[in-house]
Amino acid sequence: GNSVTQMEGPVTLSEEAFLTINCTYTATGYPSLFWYVQYPGEGLQLLLKATKADDKGSNKGFEATYRKETTSFHLEKGSVQVSDSAVYFCALLYNQGGKLIFGQGTELSVKP
Amino acid sequence: DTAVSQTPKYLVTQMGNDKSIKCEQNLGHDTMYWYKQDSKKFLKIMFSYNNKELIINETVPNRFSPKSPDKAHLNLHINSLELGDSAVYFCASSPPGGLNTEAFFGQGTRLTVV
């Protein structure tokens, strides 16, 4: 079936460190891929997305590239800030009228 | 203006009770969803409605019944609450382009069954 696997958290980094959160997926066909972010006490917000292979999504300094050959969509940021502390969810959508399938979430904590 | 709003934000209730969570979106979207987030932060879809019609119904106990009086509202009613129902419930909506554009989430309702 279709599924998303993320690296286990929590991830703790110092401010200005480089961030990678791994995400791999299993899907039939050609899904769209997303990263959502959940700040403490809030709902999820779309961070970035990619709808086809080799697309790169980017927003707020975060990037992720849709790699079909490795079925991955790893999230990266060159220099994290304390305000980036949140839970990050990788997700896939495998048909337009369908449903988002989320990974288990990765908690990021950035220390000053 | 809050785009997707849920009430209540917190709900503590005893086992066996019946409770409802309300959701409203002012974005003009046709499709709305309910997601459940468990204690390990894992999110899973429960229901999806498009223009008041049920289109996704995952394997959810019959005690959970969504109701959509109009396309701006999707309420979740839960009968005979059980301890295992304790979770955060998120309502969401998506525009006509579907989830390929963006899903907008409410702030969540933390349900605690004691």
Side-chain angles (χ1 to χ4, degrees):
Chain A
N2 301 294
S3 66
V4 177
T5 303
Q6 292 179 230
M7 65 187 283
E8 293 267 344
V11 173
T12 302
L13 295 174
S14 298
E15 208 164 20
E16 299 184 3
F18 184 86
L19 168 72
T20 301
I21 300 178
N22 290 338
C23 170
T24 57
Y25 67 90
T26 302
T28 53
Y30 304 96
S32 296
L33 300 172
F34 305 81
W35 277 100
Y36 276 81
V37 58
Q38 184 180 24
Y39 297 104
E42 297 185 12
L44 280 75
Q45 303 171 27
L46 178 66
L47 181 59
L48 54 84
K49 68 177 182 182
T51 57
K52 60 183 188 297
D54 300 327
D55 267 1
K56 177 187 282 189
S58 60
N59 186 25
K60 299 181 182 180
F62 291 89
E63 293 184 338
T65 302
Y66 188 162
R67 302 279 188 208
K68 188 169 180 293
E69 63 276 12
T70 54
T71 61
S72 65
F73 192 54
H74 303 322
L75 182 69
E76 296 182 335
K77 186 174 185 182
S79 175
V80 292
Q81 306 300 312
V82 172
S83 57
D84 294 326
S85 298
V87 182
Y88 291 82
F89 292 90
C90 186
L92 73 81
L93 174 70
Y94 61 93
N95 65 67
Q96 283 282 348
K99 53 194 179 186
L100 279 172
I101 294 175
F102 287 92
Q104 71 270 37
T106 302
E107 183 177 357
L108 170 66
S109 178
V110 180
K111 307 294 185 190
Chain B
D1 275 350
T2 304
V4 181
S5 60
Q6 298 177 226
T7 53
K9 192 170 181 180
Y10 299 97
L11 182 56
V12 181
T13 188
Q14 291 187 326
M15 281 175 57
N17 284 350
D18 303 339
K19 290 292 177 186
S20 291
I21 306 172
K22 296 187 176 182
C23 178
E24 175 181 6
Q25 53 94 4
N26 61 6
L27 299 167
H29 294 167
D30 286 344
T31 309
M32 296 183 71
Y33 312 82
W34 277 107
Y35 278 83
K36 179 180 179 180
Q37 185 177 45
D38 64 22
S39 58
K40 296 184 179 179
K41 302 282 189 187
F42 187 66
L43 269 163
K44 189 172 180 188
I45 190 166
M46 300 172 69
F47 302 102
S48 171
Y49 268 72
N50 188 11
N51 247 330
K52 302 194 296 175
E53 287 193 25
L54 180 66
I55 56 172
I56 292 175
N57 183 353
E58 289 294 288
T59 310
V60 176
N62 290 339
R63 300 181 294 103
F64 290 80
S65 54
K67 287 186 171 52
S68 183
D70 55 63
K71 73 175 192 176
H73 294 84
L74 181 62
N75 303 323
L76 183 65
H77 189 75
I78 316 170
N79 289 329
S80 303
L81 278 154
E82 301 177 358
L83 292 176
D85 298 331
S86 296
V88 181
Y89 293 84
F90 285 99
C91 178
S93 70
S94 63
L99 291 165
N100 235 1
T101 45
E102 182 171 353
F104 292 80
F105 284 80
Q107 288 192 315
T109 296
R110 182 175 293 277
L111 171 66
T112 304
V113 182
V114 297

